[in-house]
Amino acid sequence: GATDWEYFTIDGSSYLAAANWGTGSNHAVDSVIYRWTGTAFATMQSIATHGALDWEYFSIDGSSYLAVANYYSSG
């Protein structure tokens, strides 16, 4: 299940990122970034993660970044 939610906006668009830890012993699950459509959040992108714990949105010199922290390695 989700361990963290990160809300952020870029150029007036709203986004919500869900960090997914996994289920049982399976931690190799996608985490998802959603975009607000005006009526609901819709999946914009899925990212392979391994026991994701946290998202952090930040900007540097006008460029936007989104970092994810994983607890497990893929190998």
Side-chain angles (χ1 to χ4, degrees):
T3 56
D4 182 61
W5 296 89
E6 182 82 5
Y7 172 83
F8 56 98
T9 60
I10 299 174
D11 296 330
S13 294
S14 296
Y15 299 89
L16 187 63
N20 289 316
W21 170 257
T23 57
S25 62
N26 180 23
H27 300 288
V29 296
D30 287 353
S31 290
V32 183
I33 300 171
Y34 300 94
R35 184 176 181 181
W36 182 250
T37 65
T39 57
F41 280 101
T43 300
M44 187 191 91
Q45 185 176 1
S46 292
I47 298 173
T49 53
H50 301 275
L53 290 174
D54 188 39
W55 284 106
E56 287 298 325
Y57 169 80
F58 58 98
S59 61
I60 300 173
D61 295 330
S63 294
S64 299
Y65 299 91
L66 186 63
V68 63
N70 290 283
Y71 183 74
Y72 288 93
S73 70
S74 61

